[in-house]
Amino acid sequence: MYTYLLMLTKAFDRVQHIKLFHKLLDLNFPGGIINILFDWYSKTFTIARWNNSFSRLLLVRSGIRQGGILSPLLFNIILY
């Protein structure tokens, strides 16, 4: 049971944004919602820190934001 839950939480991190958007288009999702999600996810960046050094800004290309209201819906869509 616990192994399954651990694997499922890691699955949220593995969803590629481009595949999610293609899936939404295939399901005839409203274009306005897809545009909002695309804008939201295309502006997700991170910085890695190692000791006292910081990396350059890195674009995040996969992962569904956990804890968001839409997160379970988007995850279910990618599994559909």
Side-chain angles (χ1 to χ4, degrees), residues 15-21 24 32-46 57-65 74:
V15 174
Q16 294 178 1
H17 296 161
I18 193 73
K19 288 184 180 181
L20 174 63
F21 298 129
L24 292 173
I33 293 175
I34 295 174
N35 286 337
I36 290 169
L37 290 172
F38 181 79
D39 185 59
W40 188 31
Y41 277 98
S42 67
K43 294 177 181 173
T44 305
F45 294 91
T46 191
L57 214 53
L58 304 168
L59 178 63
V60 177
R61 295 184 179 154
S62 64
I64 295 178
R65 297 174 185 221
L74 295 175

Side-chain angles (χ1 to χ4, degrees), residues 4 20 29 32-33 40 42 47-48 52-53 64 66 70 76:
Y4 178 74
L20 174 63
F29 232 72
I33 293 175
W40 188 31
S42 67
I47 295 175
N52 290 327
S53 299
I64 295 178
Q66 296 180 27
L70 288 178
N76 286 333

